[in-house]
Amino acid sequence: PLPLCGLLSMGCSSDWNLTWHTENPDFTQCFQNTVLVWIPCIYLWACFPVYFLYLRCHDRGYIQMSNLNKAKTALGLILWIVCWADLFYSFWERSQNIFRAPFFLISPTVLGITMLLATFLIQYERMKGVQSSGVMTIFWLISLLCATVIFRSKIILGAEVDAFRYVTFCTYFILLLVQLILCCFPEQPPLFSETVNDPKPCPEFSASFLSRITFWWITGLMIQGYRRPLEAKDLWSLNKEDTSEEIVPGLARNWAKEWAEALIIKPSQKNYEASLFKVLYKTFGPYFLMSFLFKAAHDLLMFAGPEILKLLINFVNDKHAPDWQGYFYTGLLFVCACLQTLILHQYFHICFVTGMRLKTAIVGVIYRKALVITNSARKTSTVGEIVNLMSVDAQRFMDLATYINMIWSAPLQVILALYLLWQNLGPSVLAGVAVMILLVPINAVMKAQMKSKDNRIKLMNEILNGIKVLKLYAWELAFREKVLEIRQKELKVLKKSAYLAAMATFTWVCAPFLVALSTFAVYVKIDKNNVLDAQKAFVSLALFNILRFPLNMLPMVISSIVEASVSLKRLRVFLSHEELDPDSIIRGPTTDARLNYVHFIFSINFTVPEGSLIAVVGQVGCGKSSLLSALLGEMDKKEGYVVVKGSVAYVPQQAWVQNATLKDNIIFGREMNESRYKRVIEACALLPDIEILPTGDRTEIGEKGVNLSGGQKQRVSLARAVYCNADVYLFDDPLSAVDAHVGKHIFEKVIGPKGILKNKTRVLVTHAVNYLPQMDTILVMSDGEISEMGSYQELLKQDGAFAEFLRTYANAEQSMENSGKLKISIFNRQLSNSSTYSRETGKSQHQSSTAELQKPLAEKNSWKLTEADTVKATVYWDYMKAIGLFISFLSIFLFMCNHVASLASNYWLSLWTDDPVINGTQQYTNVRLGVYGALGISQGIAVFGYSMAVSIGGIFASRHLHLNLLHNVLRSPMSFFERTPSGNLVNRFSKEIDTIDSTIPPIIKMFMGSTFNVIGACIIILLATPIAAVIIPPLGLVYLFVQRFYVATSRQLKRLESVSRSPVYSHFNETLLGVSVIRAFEEQKRFIKQNDMKVDENQKAYYPSIVANRWLAVRLEYVGNCIVLFAALFAVIARNKLSPGLVGLSVSYSLQITAYLNWLVRMSSELETNIVAVERWVVHHSYTWPEEGKVEFRGYGLRYREDLDLVLKNINVTINGGEKIGIVGRTGAGKSSLTLGLFRINEAAEGEIIIDGINIAKIGLHDLRFRVTIIPQDPILFSGSLRMNLDPFDQHSDEDIWRSLELAHLKNFVSALPDKLNHECAEGGENLSVGQRQLVCLARALLRKSKILVLDEATAAVDLETDNLIQSTIKSQFEECTVLTIAHRLNTIMDYTRVLVLDRGEVVECGSPDNLLQEKGIFYSMAKDSGLV
C-alpha cells in the first residue's frame, strides 16, 4: 500500500509534486509519520536538561495539587497510553504477519516516552512553584500544529486509513487540544510565598504564559490609570528578586571579595585594580545572558521579511503559481512579524529589568559606602558629586543595559544583510556599502562636553541657597549677569552641536537613499544586461533599511559605553576609598577616656574620670571640635590610642536635623518611653517650642531643618543625645545658639552638676566663661595642643594664659554671656514661624495637621511645579512663538517637501522596475536613473533645511525661555522661595533647561519624521491596493485608542516615579551631612534600611512604567503587523491586476510601518512629557535715596501669609537719622520680623514704613535693599573668590577692600592666605570657620557704607575678643548712620540711644536703657536674667 521506506533513507520525506506544485498540497505519509511526530519530541528533549537545572536553582515554593493540575497529569498519562496503544497494535499486526514500515514501531515509542517526560515536568513544575510554564505551552502548541497537518491529510484520504489508527489519532488530537487550553490557565500561588502576605502583589508571576509574553497582566493597572490618576497606593509591590535587600548584599559581597583580592595581589602586580565590571557581571550576568538568545533570534527573524518579500514578488510574477502559495507567504510574513514582536519585547524587558536592578544595587552600595568612608576621603568629592554618582552614573548603567548587546548584534546584522544583498545584486553592493561607511563617521562626531552646564548649575545652586542674602543685598543683577555669561558659552557649544545634529539627521535620513542610488546606478551601469526588476530593487531597499539601524546605532553604543566606563571608573574610585577603621577607638570597659592624639592636633594626653564634667575652651580654630572628632574616631589616627568606655552620644556644633517629625528626630530610632521623653523635652526647654509648632511634636521638619530656628535645632540635637541615654556625652558648643536664659536652663537641667546627666562622663566645648566655675576639669587649648589643664581654682592659681583670659572678660563676660544667649534664636524663631507653616505643609504631603486650613493652599502651589495633566495646545503655541513663527512654519513646509520627494522617488523606482525588458535590457535606464537621483537630491536638501531650522529654532527658544525663567525666579518674592523646595528650582534650571536645550529639538524632528513616514506608507498602500481603505481607518482608530489609553497611565507613572525619586536623593544628602552623628549613635543599620525602602518605593513606580512601555509596543506592533498582513493579502488577491513593482513598493513600505508606529508613539509621549518643561511662571516689576536715614513705622503690621495671624501689630515708632537703636524681646516676640518688614522680604499687612519721607512699599526692591545694609545672623558666602564675595559688582578698588578687611580684623588672616583676595571660598564658605565668615559679612557692610545698618546680632559664633572688636568697629565706623541692632547680649546695647522692647509683636517699652531699668518692666527682668543688674 505505502512505499516501504527505511528510516535512514529519508527519500520519502518530500515528493514535490505531491507537496508543492499542486492546487491541493499534502505531505507524504512517511514524512508525516516521522518528521512531524519527532519535531515536538526533539524540542522537549532539547529543552529538558537546561530547564530541569533552571528549576532546581529557582525554587518558588510548593504548589498544592489542584483540579487543574490533576487534569493535566491525567491527560498526560492518557496521551502516553494512546501512543503506546498504537505501538502494541503494531506488534499485534506483526503477529498477524502484516509487516509495516519500521516507523510504525519507532514513532509511537518515542512519542510515548516524550508524553511521560511531559507528565513528569508538569509535576516537577508544580513542586518548584511554577504557576504557568512557557516551555510546556510551546510544546503543546508545536505538537498540536504538527498533528493538525496530519489530521488534515487523514481527513482528505478518509477511508484508506485503518480504523484503529484513525480512532487513536483522533483521540490524540483532541487530548492535545485540551492540554493546550488547560496550559493557558495559571496554577494557584505556591504555599509560603511572599504573595500571600503581600497587600498588593505583582500579578506577573501568577499570570499565564500567554499573558506574560503579551504583557496582558498590566492591563488592569492601565484601565485604572485611564479612569483616574494613579496614586502610590495603587502600585504593586516589587518582585522579591528586584528589592534592595535581595540585590544589594549580592553586589556588596562580590565587590568585597574582589577588593580584598586586589589588595592581596596589588603589591605583586603593579597595575592590578579591583574591576567593578567583573563584579557587576558576576552579579547580573546570568539573568542578562537570556537576552543574548532573544536578541539573536530577533536578528535572524528580521531578515525573514525581505526574503519572504522576494518570494511574494516572484509569486506575483509567476501567473501559474497556485493561489494558496500567496496566502501561505502572507501568513508566514505575519507569523514572522508577530514572533519578532514578542521576542523583541521579551528581550527589552530583560534588559530594562537588569538596568533597574543595576541601579538599585549601585545606589545601595554607594549609600552603604558613604556611611563608612573616612572624612579625608569624603573631602575629595563634594556632596553634590557623590549624589551624582547615585543619579547620573547609575542612570548611565541603566541606559547601557539596553544597548550593550548591540556590540555583537550590530556587526551580525550588517554581515547578514551584506550577504543577502550580495546574493541579490552581486558586487555592485560594494558601492552602497562604501557610501554607508563614509556616512557613519559624520554620526560618530559626538557633542562637545557640557562643561559650562555644570558651572551654571553650581552657581544656580548657590544662588538659590543664599537667595536671602542676595535679596537683602540686592545682588540679584550681578549674579544674573554671571549666570548669563556662562549661559552664553553654553549656547555657543549648543550651536556647534546643533550644526552637527543637522548633519547627523541629514546622513541618517538620506543614507538609505544615497546607498540605494549608488548601488542601483553601479548595478545598471556595469552591464547592459543587468535588469533592475521589482524583486531586486525592493528586496534590496528592505535590506538597506535594515542596515541603516545597526550602522547608526554603533557610534551611539560606543559613546554610551565610553560614558559608562567613565562612570564605572568614578564608582570604582568611590568604592575604593579608605574606610574608617572601626578599631581606631577602643570602646572598652576602662573607667576613663584616655586620649593620645596626633593629627593637626599635635600630641595630646589626657584622661577623663568616669562621670566627670570637662570643659574645653580656647580661641576660634584651635582644635576644640577636632578633639571631639578624635574621640568619635573620625580623625586619622597617627599614633597612640583612644579608649572610650561604653556608648557615646554627640551634639555637633552645627545641629543636624532630619527631615522627619520632631519626635522622630529626638527618639532617633530608640524605643519610645513616654516618661523619659517628657523629662528630656522639659529639660531641653523644648516645651514652649512644641506649643508654637502647628502639630506639636508631630510636626514634620523641612529639609535641613528650615522651619526651626538655630536655637531650636540645637536643642533638638541636644534632646536627641540626652534621650539616647549613653555613657559618654560629647557636646560641641551647644549653648552658643540659644538665648541666655535658655542656656542657663539647659546647663542647670541637663549638662551641669545637677542636670539629668550628672552621673555621666561629659565633655563640653564652650565659649561661655560663666559656666566654668562649675566644671570638674578645664582643658585650655591653643593651636591644637592642650596648654593648661585643671579645675577652675587650680588654673586661676597657676596664673597662666587662662587666668589672664578670665580677668579680661570675667566682669563684662558674666553679663554678656548671660544675655548673649538671648539673641540668635530670635531671628530664626520668627523666620521659622513664617516658614514653619509654608514649608512644612507644602513639603510633607502626608501629615495630619492642625494647619489643615492652610494645607491645601500651599500644597497646590508646590505641585504646580511638577505636573500638568494634559499638555494644552497653548504650550506648543508658546514654544513655537519662542522659536519664532517664521522658522516654525518654514520647517513644517520643508518636512512636507522632504516626504513628498521621498514618496515620489520610491514610486518612480516602482515604475522603473516595471519597464518592459527588450532584448535582455531596459530601455530608458539613464532617464530613470537621472530622475531618481534628482528626486533624491531634492529630498536631501529639504532634510538639511528642516533639521537646521529646527536646531537653530530650538536654540532661539532655549535662550528666550532661560532668560525669562532666570529673570522671573530672581524677582520672585521671598515667600516663593520659602514655599518652593530649592531642589525643585535647581531641577528647573538643570533638568528642564537641559530638556529644552538638547532634548526637545531632536524629539520634534523625530516626531514629525515618524508622523509623515506613517502617513506616507498608508498613502502608498492605498495607491497599490485601494481596497485597503476599508482596513486602514479602523486600525488607525485602534492605534489612537491604545495610544491615548497608554499616555494617560504612562504620565501618571512617570510622575509617581519622579516624585518618589527626590526622597532618595534628599535622604542621601541628609545622611552625608549627618554622617558623624549617625556613626556616633551607631544608627547605620536603620539608615541603610530607610534608604533601601526609599529606593524600592521609587522602583515600584519605575517597574510598571517599563512594563507599560512594553505593553504599548506589543499592542502597536500588532497593529503594524496587521497592516503588513493586509497589504500582502490584498496584493495576493489582486495579483492579476497589479504589477510586481507596486506589490514590492506597497509591501516594503508596510514592512517599515511597524517600526515607525513604534517610534511615533514613543516620540509623541516623549514630546508630551518633555514639552511640559516649557510651561512657565511669570512675576513682577522698578529709583533712589536716604540722605539722613530717618525711619518711621506708622501703624505697621505684618503677617507671614494671608491665612495666619499678625506677627507684628500696630507698631508706631520714629527713629531719627544717626540714632543707635537696640531691639530686644523674648524668643518669638517679633524682633526679626521687624527687619523682614524693613527689607520687604514680607510685605506689610497694614500701615507703612517711611524712610526719609518715602514709603518703602512704593519703590523698587532693589533700590530699597541697595541702600539699607544688613549683617545677617547666619553668615553665607558664595563659592568664588573672597573679592567677589565682598564686592560682586566690582565697584570698589582693592585699597577700599583691604581697608574694610582691616576694620573687620581680617587683614592678617587674608594676607596670610596664598591667594590673598583671590582666595577661593568653597561652596557656602565651608573652608572658613563660622567666626571668620561672620567677619567677612561685617567687611561687606563696611564696604557698602549705607545710611541705615541693620545688625542681626551677629556675634554668637565669635569668641569674646572678636565680639568686642566688632562692636567697637561698628561704633566708630557707623557714627552718623542709623543702626538697628537685634540684641541678645544686653550689654552690647547698654550705651545705645534707645531700646525698643517687643513682646508678642507689639512695642511694650521704648526709651533709653537707663530709663527702662528704672521702670522695672520687662527690660529690667531681662537684664536681671543676664546678671546686669
Side-chain angles (χ1 to χ4, degrees), residues 198-231:
D198 204 341
K200 284 208 68 121
C202 181
E204 181 180 3
F205 283 103
S206 49
S208 70
F209 174 69
L210 282 175
S211 161
R212 295 234 308 265
I213 57 170
T214 54
F215 299 98
W216 189 259
W217 53 271
I218 194 183
T219 312
L221 188 72
M222 307 290 280
I223 292 171
Q224 213 174 0
Y226 187 66
R227 290 201 183 128
R228 63 176 176 73
L230 291 173
E231 293 164 37

Tab-separated table of all heavy atoms in Angstrom, residues 198-231:
chain	number	residue	atom	x	y	z
A	198	ASP	N	1.317	39.672	51.031
A	198	ASP	CA	1.574	40.948	50.379
A	198	ASP	C	0.235	41.612	50.080
A	198	ASP	O	-0.617	40.996	49.463
A	198	ASP	CB	2.320	40.656	49.069
A	198	ASP	CG	3.118	41.856	48.632
A	198	ASP	OD1	2.790	42.947	49.120
A	198	ASP	OD2	4.035	41.705	47.825
A	199	PRO	N	0.048	42.880	50.505
A	199	PRO	CA	-1.248	43.518	50.246
A	199	PRO	C	-1.518	43.703	48.755
A	199	PRO	O	-2.634	43.499	48.297
A	199	PRO	CB	-1.134	44.865	50.946
A	199	PRO	CG	0.322	45.079	51.154
A	199	PRO	CD	0.943	43.730	51.283
A	200	LYS	N	-0.468	44.090	47.971
A	200	LYS	CA	-0.693	44.275	46.528
A	200	LYS	C	0.400	43.548	45.766
A	200	LYS	O	1.362	44.168	45.323
A	200	LYS	CB	-0.663	45.765	46.178
A	200	LYS	CG	-1.918	46.489	46.590
A	200	LYS	CD	-2.196	47.691	45.709
A	200	LYS	CE	-2.564	47.340	44.313
A	200	LYS	NZ	-3.872	47.808	43.872
A	201	PRO	N	0.286	42.212	45.636
A	201	PRO	CA	1.366	41.504	44.951
A	201	PRO	C	1.351	41.844	43.467
A	201	PRO	O	0.313	42.202	42.917
A	201	PRO	CB	1.000	40.034	45.166
A	201	PRO	CG	-0.469	40.030	45.369
A	201	PRO	CD	-0.819	41.335	46.008
A	202	CYS	N	2.507	41.722	42.842
A	202	CYS	CA	2.597	41.970	41.404
A	202	CYS	C	1.997	40.773	40.672
A	202	CYS	O	2.395	39.643	40.934
A	202	CYS	CB	4.058	42.147	41.013
A	202	CYS	SG	4.251	42.484	39.290
A	203	PRO	N	1.050	41.014	39.761
A	203	PRO	CA	0.364	39.886	39.130
A	203	PRO	C	1.230	39.127	38.133
A	203	PRO	O	0.784	38.152	37.563
A	203	PRO	CB	-0.817	40.543	38.411
A	203	PRO	CG	-0.422	41.948	38.236
A	203	PRO	CD	0.527	42.300	39.328
A	204	GLU	N	2.478	39.559	37.960
A	204	GLU	CA	3.272	38.996	36.880
A	204	GLU	C	3.454	37.488	37.023
A	204	GLU	O	3.257	36.733	36.076
A	204	GLU	CB	4.645	39.668	36.842
A	204	GLU	CG	5.508	39.147	35.738
A	204	GLU	CD	6.872	39.824	35.691
A	204	GLU	OE1	7.162	40.660	36.562
A	204	GLU	OE2	7.637	39.501	34.779
A	205	PHE	N	3.826	37.031	38.246
A	205	PHE	CA	4.173	35.624	38.357
A	205	PHE	C	2.955	34.725	38.406
A	205	PHE	O	3.044	33.544	38.133
A	205	PHE	CB	5.087	35.392	39.560
A	205	PHE	CG	6.473	35.827	39.253
A	205	PHE	CD1	6.971	37.018	39.738
A	205	PHE	CD2	7.270	35.074	38.399
A	205	PHE	CE1	8.238	37.439	39.402
A	205	PHE	CE2	8.540	35.498	38.058
A	205	PHE	CZ	9.028	36.670	38.563
A	206	SER	N	1.811	35.302	38.751
A	206	SER	CA	0.628	34.451	38.779
A	206	SER	C	-0.112	34.513	37.451
A	206	SER	O	-1.146	33.894	37.289
A	206	SER	CB	-0.286	34.875	39.918
A	206	SER	OG	-0.475	36.257	39.853
A	207	ALA	N	0.447	35.293	36.490
A	207	ALA	CA	-0.215	35.389	35.189
A	207	ALA	C	0.166	34.183	34.342
A	207	ALA	O	1.191	33.546	34.578
A	207	ALA	CB	0.216	36.664	34.491
A	208	SER	N	-0.666	33.884	33.335
A	208	SER	CA	-0.352	32.741	32.492
A	208	SER	C	0.742	33.119	31.504
A	208	SER	O	1.044	34.297	31.323
A	208	SER	CB	-1.593	32.316	31.728
A	208	SER	OG	-1.882	33.295	30.759
A	209	PHE	N	1.299	32.114	30.859
A	209	PHE	CA	2.401	32.332	29.926
A	209	PHE	C	2.002	33.306	28.803
A	209	PHE	O	2.735	34.237	28.480
A	209	PHE	CB	2.833	30.991	29.345
A	209	PHE	CG	3.852	31.109	28.264
A	209	PHE	CD1	5.142	31.515	28.557
A	209	PHE	CD2	3.541	30.828	26.937
A	209	PHE	CE1	6.102	31.627	27.558
A	209	PHE	CE2	4.489	30.942	25.939
A	209	PHE	CZ	5.769	31.337	26.243
A	210	LEU	N	0.815	33.111	28.258
A	210	LEU	CA	0.372	33.987	27.165
A	210	LEU	C	0.274	35.424	27.639
A	210	LEU	O	0.670	36.363	26.958
A	210	LEU	CB	-0.992	33.532	26.649
A	210	LEU	CG	-0.950	32.319	25.722
A	210	LEU	CD1	-2.354	31.881	25.374
A	210	LEU	CD2	-0.162	32.658	24.468
A	211	SER	N	-0.269	35.573	28.836
A	211	SER	CA	-0.421	36.914	29.399
A	211	SER	C	0.947	37.547	29.631
A	211	SER	O	1.127	38.743	29.467
A	211	SER	CB	-1.203	36.800	30.703
A	211	SER	OG	-1.012	37.941	31.463
A	212	ARG	N	1.925	36.718	29.997
A	212	ARG	CA	3.251	37.269	30.273
A	212	ARG	C	3.951	37.700	28.995
A	212	ARG	O	4.622	38.727	28.970
A	212	ARG	CB	4.127	36.243	31.007
A	212	ARG	CG	3.590	35.907	32.378
A	212	ARG	CD	4.575	36.071	33.515
A	212	ARG	NE	5.852	35.420	33.363
A	212	ARG	CZ	6.136	34.215	33.860
A	212	ARG	NH1	5.213	33.520	34.482
A	212	ARG	NH2	7.335	33.727	33.721
A	213	ILE	N	3.822	36.884	27.905
A	213	ILE	CA	4.582	37.305	26.715
A	213	ILE	C	3.915	38.473	26.003
A	213	ILE	O	4.563	39.196	25.279
A	213	ILE	CB	4.856	36.153	25.703
A	213	ILE	CG1	3.564	35.513	25.249
A	213	ILE	CG2	5.821	35.139	26.265
A	213	ILE	CD1	3.775	34.552	24.100
A	214	THR	N	2.607	38.668	26.228
A	214	THR	CA	1.977	39.827	25.578
A	214	THR	C	1.800	40.969	26.574
A	214	THR	O	1.195	41.980	26.270
A	214	THR	CB	0.588	39.459	25.040
A	214	THR	OG1	-0.167	38.907	26.114
A	214	THR	CG2	0.681	38.452	23.927
A	215	PHE	N	2.321	40.796	27.809
A	215	PHE	CA	2.211	41.804	28.877
A	215	PHE	C	0.748	42.148	29.152
A	215	PHE	O	0.417	43.287	29.453
A	215	PHE	CB	2.990	43.073	28.528
A	215	PHE	CG	4.449	42.802	28.351
A	215	PHE	CD1	5.000	42.626	27.092
A	215	PHE	CD2	5.279	42.679	29.448
A	215	PHE	CE1	6.338	42.333	26.937
A	215	PHE	CE2	6.621	42.393	29.295
A	215	PHE	CZ	7.153	42.224	28.040
A	216	TRP	N	-0.105	41.142	29.055
A	216	TRP	CA	-1.528	41.394	29.285
A	216	TRP	C	-1.792	41.718	30.754
A	216	TRP	O	-2.732	42.406	31.099
A	216	TRP	CB	-2.342	40.171	28.849
A	216	TRP	CG	-3.801	40.442	28.864
A	216	TRP	CD1	-4.685	40.055	29.835
A	216	TRP	CD2	-4.554	41.185	27.911
A	216	TRP	NE1	-5.939	40.509	29.530
A	216	TRP	CE2	-5.893	41.204	28.353
A	216	TRP	CE3	-4.234	41.830	26.715
A	216	TRP	CZ2	-6.906	41.851	27.646
A	216	TRP	CZ3	-5.245	42.466	26.017
A	216	TRP	CH2	-6.562	42.469	26.478
A	217	TRP	N	-0.917	41.208	31.630
A	217	TRP	CA	-1.194	41.288	33.067
A	217	TRP	C	-1.187	42.702	33.629
A	217	TRP	O	-1.658	42.936	34.730
A	217	TRP	CB	-0.231	40.408	33.849
A	217	TRP	CG	1.212	40.658	33.555
A	217	TRP	CD1	1.962	40.066	32.576
A	217	TRP	CD2	2.106	41.546	34.238
A	217	TRP	NE1	3.249	40.531	32.592
A	217	TRP	CE2	3.366	41.430	33.607
A	217	TRP	CE3	1.972	42.414	35.311
A	217	TRP	CZ2	4.470	42.155	34.017
A	217	TRP	CZ3	3.071	43.137	35.721
A	217	TRP	CH2	4.308	43.011	35.083
A	218	ILE	N	-0.660	43.653	32.849
A	218	ILE	CA	-0.631	45.024	33.400
A	218	ILE	C	-1.894	45.787	32.999
A	218	ILE	O	-2.137	46.896	33.467
A	218	ILE	CB	0.633	45.774	32.912
A	218	ILE	CG1	0.836	47.038	33.763
A	218	ILE	CG2	0.553	46.099	31.460
A	218	ILE	CD1	1.987	47.872	33.329
A	219	THR	N	-2.737	45.157	32.161
A	219	THR	CA	-3.897	45.887	31.629
A	219	THR	C	-4.769	46.463	32.744
A	219	THR	O	-5.296	47.568	32.624
A	219	THR	CB	-4.734	44.965	30.723
A	219	THR	OG1	-3.830	44.318	29.821
A	219	THR	CG2	-5.738	45.749	29.912
A	220	GLY	N	-4.915	45.704	33.846
A	220	GLY	CA	-5.735	46.183	34.973
A	220	GLY	C	-5.284	47.554	35.448
A	220	GLY	O	-6.093	48.466	35.644
A	221	LEU	N	-3.974	47.687	35.597
A	221	LEU	CA	-3.419	48.961	36.077
A	221	LEU	C	-3.650	50.055	35.037
A	221	LEU	O	-3.959	51.198	35.379
A	221	LEU	CB	-1.918	48.798	36.325
A	221	LEU	CG	-1.235	49.977	37.000
A	221	LEU	CD1	-1.641	50.056	38.454
A	221	LEU	CD2	0.265	49.859	36.904
A	222	MET	N	-3.527	49.688	33.755
A	222	MET	CA	-3.711	50.681	32.693
A	222	MET	C	-5.145	51.222	32.726
A	222	MET	O	-5.374	52.426	32.615
A	222	MET	CB	-3.454	50.073	31.306
A	222	MET	CG	-2.131	49.375	31.164
A	222	MET	SD	-0.738	50.490	31.161
A	222	MET	CE	-0.770	51.057	29.493
A	223	ILE	N	-6.112	50.300	32.917
A	223	ILE	CA	-7.508	50.735	32.934
A	223	ILE	C	-7.729	51.682	34.110
A	223	ILE	O	-8.341	52.740	33.986
A	223	ILE	CB	-8.442	49.514	33.048
A	223	ILE	CG1	-8.355	48.695	31.759
A	223	ILE	CG2	-9.880	49.935	33.302
A	223	ILE	CD1	-9.049	47.362	31.814
A	224	GLN	N	-7.150	51.294	35.260
A	224	GLN	CA	-7.282	52.124	36.454
A	224	GLN	C	-6.712	53.519	36.205
A	224	GLN	O	-7.323	54.525	36.562
A	224	GLN	CB	-6.483	51.449	37.572
A	224	GLN	CG	-7.069	51.648	38.928
A	224	GLN	CD	-6.292	50.832	39.948
A	224	GLN	OE1	-5.338	50.128	39.626
A	224	GLN	NE2	-6.691	50.919	41.188
A	225	GLY	N	-5.526	53.556	35.558
A	225	GLY	CA	-4.889	54.851	35.297
A	225	GLY	C	-5.670	55.674	34.294
A	225	GLY	O	-5.615	56.900	34.292
A	226	TYR	N	-6.406	54.972	33.431
A	226	TYR	CA	-7.186	55.693	32.422
A	226	TYR	C	-8.406	56.337	33.067
A	226	TYR	O	-8.805	57.439	32.710
A	226	TYR	CB	-7.616	54.707	31.336
A	226	TYR	CG	-8.290	55.347	30.156
A	226	TYR	CD1	-7.584	56.201	29.315
A	226	TYR	CD2	-9.626	55.100	29.875
A	226	TYR	CE1	-8.181	56.783	28.226
A	226	TYR	CE2	-10.241	55.684	28.777
A	226	TYR	CZ	-9.517	56.530	27.958
A	226	TYR	OH	-10.109	57.117	26.885
A	227	ARG	N	-8.954	55.636	34.075
A	227	ARG	CA	-10.183	56.146	34.708
A	227	ARG	C	-9.893	57.298	35.653
A	227	ARG	O	-10.642	58.242	35.742
A	227	ARG	CB	-10.849	55.031	35.507
A	227	ARG	CG	-11.433	53.980	34.596
A	227	ARG	CD	-12.502	53.172	35.325
A	227	ARG	NE	-13.008	52.125	34.443
A	227	ARG	CZ	-13.073	50.852	34.808
A	227	ARG	NH1	-12.686	50.490	36.011
A	227	ARG	NH2	-13.545	49.953	33.972
A	228	ARG	N	-8.816	57.180	36.429
A	228	ARG	CA	-8.493	58.241	37.381
A	228	ARG	C	-6.984	58.252	37.587
A	228	ARG	O	-6.334	57.236	37.382
A	228	ARG	CB	-9.189	57.987	38.719
A	228	ARG	CG	-8.729	56.712	39.377
A	228	ARG	CD	-9.348	56.519	40.750
A	228	ARG	NE	-8.956	55.235	41.303
A	228	ARG	CZ	-7.750	54.961	41.770
A	228	ARG	NH1	-6.802	55.879	41.739
A	228	ARG	NH2	-7.467	53.770	42.269
A	229	PRO	N	-6.442	59.418	38.012
A	229	PRO	CA	-4.984	59.462	38.214
A	229	PRO	C	-4.537	58.409	39.223
A	229	PRO	O	-5.182	58.206	40.242
A	229	PRO	CB	-4.758	60.875	38.773
A	229	PRO	CG	-5.922	61.661	38.299
A	229	PRO	CD	-7.080	60.708	38.242
A	230	LEU	N	-3.440	57.750	38.921
A	230	LEU	CA	-2.919	56.725	39.823
A	230	LEU	C	-2.302	57.373	41.048
A	230	LEU	O	-1.805	58.491	40.994
A	230	LEU	CB	-1.839	55.915	39.111
A	230	LEU	CG	-2.295	55.004	37.989
A	230	LEU	CD1	-1.081	54.427	37.287
A	230	LEU	CD2	-3.145	53.884	38.543
A	231	GLU	N	-2.297	56.638	42.159
A	231	GLU	CA	-1.590	57.122	43.347
A	231	GLU	C	-0.608	56.053	43.769
A	231	GLU	O	-0.655	54.923	43.291
A	231	GLU	CB	-2.592	57.375	44.480
A	231	GLU	CG	-3.536	58.523	44.195
A	231	GLU	CD	-4.730	58.497	45.141
A	231	GLU	OE1	-4.546	58.147	46.315
A	231	GLU	OE2	-5.839	58.790	44.674
